[in-house]
Amino acid sequence: MAELTMAKALNLALHEAMAEDPTVLLLGQDVGQDEGVFRISEGLLKKFGADRVIDFPVAESAIAGVSVGMCLTGFKPIAEMQFSGFGYHAFHQVENHISRFRNRTRGRFTCPMVIRMPYGAGIRAIEHHSESREAIWAHLPGLKVVVPSGPRNARALLRASIFDPDPVMFYEPKACYRAFKEEVPDEPETMEIGKAQVVRTGSDVTIISYGASMRPVLEAADDLSLEHQVEADVIDLLSLSPMDTETIIASVKKTGRVVVVHEAPRTCGPAGEIIARIVEKALDFLEAPIARVTGYDLVMPYFNLERHYMPDPLKVVTAVRDVVSY
């Protein structure tokens, strides 16, 4: 198996899917000649041509709207938005068309498309270039929201998203694009959308997270074990909609204590939904109030304050120690 960054793993998934299925297309700003702002579409224009790798102007609504038409004529478009913070220009198309076509046509038509959006902080960009607003999209019925955390699951989940019969919002943590490498199988690999992974086992506390926040969570789990003799069950959600409630509840019944970690703002963030499900299905198993480590209810600050905004291992360790000692 080759060791790849997430950027290279996503690029591999695109190469594989487009080679396998001639109806798979890529469209977006600078995806062709410039090979994507983060070089995720490197080599695709040269290999598949301008009919399948289509450069667009700065027009997110048009990228999404044209993708709807492509879906209805038999194609599987992959729409790239350069930064998630500019994806709101496409909200009308996503909310009023993409997410509704299956229901609107009583199953006669759907939109088998992927909208790729780089999200989150950690690269010293500003405002719209570093936002984490996945809760907005997860709130839309009919739209799946997938958030990979590493090279291997990014490649496998992007492949699953491309060949899913319904629309998928694929939220890519750009802080992870080139931060580390993982072994990625030589053969194409697919993971089930909506299935979380228990990436570390323990019996003292459950830590639930996803995307870029998985790195500080795993670092905190190591520290908790070595320095504080606290063993954490760590869950990587991988998908916010659908959400794997079964895996969450099984872990909570084992540990009785929970910390939820994400970069998105706290109010109405994914942690609120996760905690609600735990309260509904496992309240009697809780030994302490559930804690949240999240971003703040602020516009993303300029880069000199970025690290203060984001969850870090110390914040996670502090929250876990509070929950465990309750």
Side-chain angles (χ1 to χ4, degrees):
M1 292 193 287
E3 285 201 341
L4 302 179
T5 62
M6 181 183 284
K8 287 293 185 183
L10 291 167
N11 178 258
L12 176 62
L14 293 173
H15 273 277
E16 290 171 343
M18 294 185 72
E20 183 176 334
D21 186 341
T23 68
V24 176
L25 310 170
L26 178 66
L27 65 160
Q29 183 189 354
D30 297 332
V31 297
Q33 291 287 349
D34 290 341
E35 301 183 324
V37 65
F38 294 106
R39 302 296 182 268
I40 305 301
S41 52
E42 185 176 20
L44 292 173
L45 177 63
K46 184 177 181 181
K47 185 173 181 180
F48 298 104
D51 289 340
R52 296 183 64 196
V53 182
I54 306 165
D55 271 323
F56 258 70
V58 186
E60 288 81 3
S61 180
I63 294 168
V66 168
S67 296
V68 174
M70 288 179 168
C71 289
L72 299 181
T73 53
F75 292 100
K76 298 182 181 70
I78 304 165
E80 177 178 305
M81 307 294 169
Q82 280 202 340
F83 293 90
S84 66
F86 299 102
Y88 315 125
H89 295 293
F91 187 83
H92 165 73
Q93 294 289 349
V94 177
E95 155 65 11
N96 286 332
H97 299 300
I98 293 170
S99 65
R100 293 172 183 259
F101 248 98
R102 178 182 287 279
N103 180 271
R104 180 178 293 158
T105 64
R106 299 298 183 260
R108 288 187 299 119
F109 296 100
T110 182
C111 285
M113 63 178 290
V114 179
I115 305 173
R116 295 181 39 243
M117 286 196 185
Y119 86 93
I123 63 167
R124 299 172 69 82
I126 60 173
E127 266 201 54
H128 289 80
H129 299 78
S130 293
E131 292 179 345
S132 184
R133 299 286 194 271
E134 55 273 25
I136 293 174
W137 307 107
H139 192 67
L140 303 183
L143 184 69
K144 297 175 182 175
V145 180
V146 172
V147 191
S149 62
R152 182 169 181 173
N153 59 45
R155 185 258 200 130
L157 287 167
L158 180 55
R159 178 179 175 81
S161 301
I162 292 170
F163 293 112
D164 194 281
D166 288 298
V168 177
M169 182 69 70
F170 198 82
Y171 239 51
E172 299 172 6
K174 56 182 175 286
C176 297
Y177 273 156
R178 292 176 174 81
F180 61 100
K181 293 182 177 180
E182 281 181 353
E183 288 190 338
V184 175
D186 296 328
E187 297 299 319
E189 185 178 39
T190 302
M191 293 178 67
E192 180 182 353
I193 294 176
K195 186 67 177 175
Q197 283 189 331
V198 179
V199 295
R200 182 187 178 105
T201 58
S203 58
D204 298 319
V205 63
T206 297
I207 309 177
I208 303 167
S209 190
Y210 56 87
S213 295
M214 286 304 301
R215 296 190 73 207
V217 163
L218 289 171
E219 189 175 331
D222 287 342
D223 185 58
L224 286 162
S225 177
L226 291 172
E227 302 295 333
H228 306 287
Q229 293 74 55
V230 174
E231 297 299 334
D233 225 31
V234 179
I235 296 175
D236 184 351
L237 285 178
L238 296 173
S239 169
L240 297 179
S241 180
M243 186 181 290
D244 186 356
T245 307
E246 183 179 349
T247 295
I248 294 171
I249 299 305
S251 178
V252 173
K253 288 183 177 179
K254 179 172 67 172
T255 67
R257 302 172 192 274
V258 184
V259 174
V260 185
V261 183
H262 61 59
E263 189 177 321
R266 172 165 297 197
T267 298
C268 295
E273 175 63 27
I274 294 165
I275 293 168
R277 295 185 185 209
I278 293 170
V279 170
E280 288 169 351
K281 296 182 179 295
L283 177 63
D284 291 344
F285 293 86
L286 290 176
E287 302 288 345
I290 300 172
R292 290 181 285 178
V293 179
T294 70
Y296 298 94
D297 294 331
L298 298 169
V299 174
M300 173 57 70
Y302 286 101
F303 58 80
N304 59 332
L305 295 175
E306 183 183 66
R307 64 187 178 86
H308 297 290
Y309 174 92
M310 298 169 65
D312 61 26
L314 178 59
K315 293 177 183 176
V316 178
V317 168
T318 301
V320 168
R321 294 189 70 191
D322 287 346
V323 167
V324 170
S325 62
Y326 178 81

